[in-house]
């Protein structure tokens, strides 16, 4: 099952997106969650995001990493710095090998949770990023790819 949400489709999307930096982080402990937040914050500064967008991206990364840790049994976050004509950006790819998400629509609904959380993680991350893609299969893990661009 796959779900995509690319809210910038209505804009002209220049071709030529390139990955300039790629860094990966294990997400297997509470300490790793803190490391991820600091690494993503540093990456957003490196990309030239303002404080509000830095906070949006770090919050999304934190939610996605926590989901992979809590619900997926741990995973890996890859942070990619992007360039395209006129803009820079950041792509977060969080992958786990957990049980997968049996009902994507329910999981994206605010307030729905399979654990003890508030149920705002996936939906909140989707709202904070401009491009969002989720690929999951029961028993085969979940991969979320989320991208945000700097505004020219």
């Amino acid at each position: 099952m796959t779900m995509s949400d690319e809210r910038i489709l209505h804009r002209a999307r220049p071709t030529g997106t390139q990955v300039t930096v790629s860094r990966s982080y294990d997400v297997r402990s509470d300490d790793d969650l803190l490391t991820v937040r600091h690494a993503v914050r540093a990456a957003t500064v490196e990309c030239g995001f303002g404080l509000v967008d830095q906070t949006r991206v770090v919050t999304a990364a934190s939610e996605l990493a926590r989901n992979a840790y809590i619900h997926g049994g741990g995973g890996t976050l890859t942070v990619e710095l992007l360039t395209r004509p006129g803009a820079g950006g950041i792509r977060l790819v969080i992958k786990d090998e957990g049980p997968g998400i049996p009902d994507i629509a329910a999981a994206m609904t605010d307030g729905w949770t399979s654990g003890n959380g508030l149920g705002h993680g996936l939906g909140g991350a989707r709202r904070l990023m401009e491009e969002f893609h989720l690929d999951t299969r029961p028993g085969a893990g979940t991969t979320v790819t989320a991208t945000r661009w700097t505004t020219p």
Side-chain angles (χ1 to χ4, degrees):
M1 291 181 278
T2 298
M3 187 215 74
S4 287
D5 181 9
E6 297 185 34
R7 284 174 260 164
I8 63 168
L9 286 176
H10 64 282
R11 293 189 217 160
R13 181 184 290 178
T15 59
T17 299
Q18 295 181 339
V19 177
T20 58
V21 175
S22 180
R23 302 178 185 118
S24 293
Y25 304 89
D26 285 336
V27 181
R28 304 200 182 286
S29 70
D30 287 334
D31 287 344
D32 290 343
L33 295 174
L34 187 58
T35 298
V36 162
R37 283 193 286 268
H38 287 298
V40 171
R41 170 77 66 198
T44 59
V45 170
E46 194 174 341
C47 282
F49 283 102
L51 183 59
V52 171
D53 282 337
Q54 290 175 31
T55 303
R56 288 179 175 133
V57 174
V58 171
T59 301
S62 181
E63 294 291 343
L64 296 172
R66 179 165 290 287
N67 279 349
Y69 173 51
I70 300 294
H71 303 291
T76 303
L77 171 67
T78 300
V79 178
E80 297 175 334
L81 305 187
L82 309 172
T83 62
R84 69 179 185 193
I90 188 166
R91 179 184 298 142
L92 309 172
V93 181
I94 184 85
K95 182 175 186 174
D96 69 60
E97 296 179 3
I101 302 171
D103 185 343
I104 294 174
M108 298 302 295
T109 303
D110 282 343
W112 185 90
T113 180
S114 63
N116 296 323
L118 297 175
H120 298 292
L122 277 177
R126 182 173 75 176
R127 287 189 295 275
L128 292 168
M129 302 297 280
E130 294 173 310
E131 300 171 20
F132 189 90
H133 179 84
L134 186 150
D135 184 26
T136 186
R137 287 173 184 71
T142 299
T143 300
V144 176
T145 304
T147 304
R148 186 163 189 93
W149 295 97
T150 58
T151 51

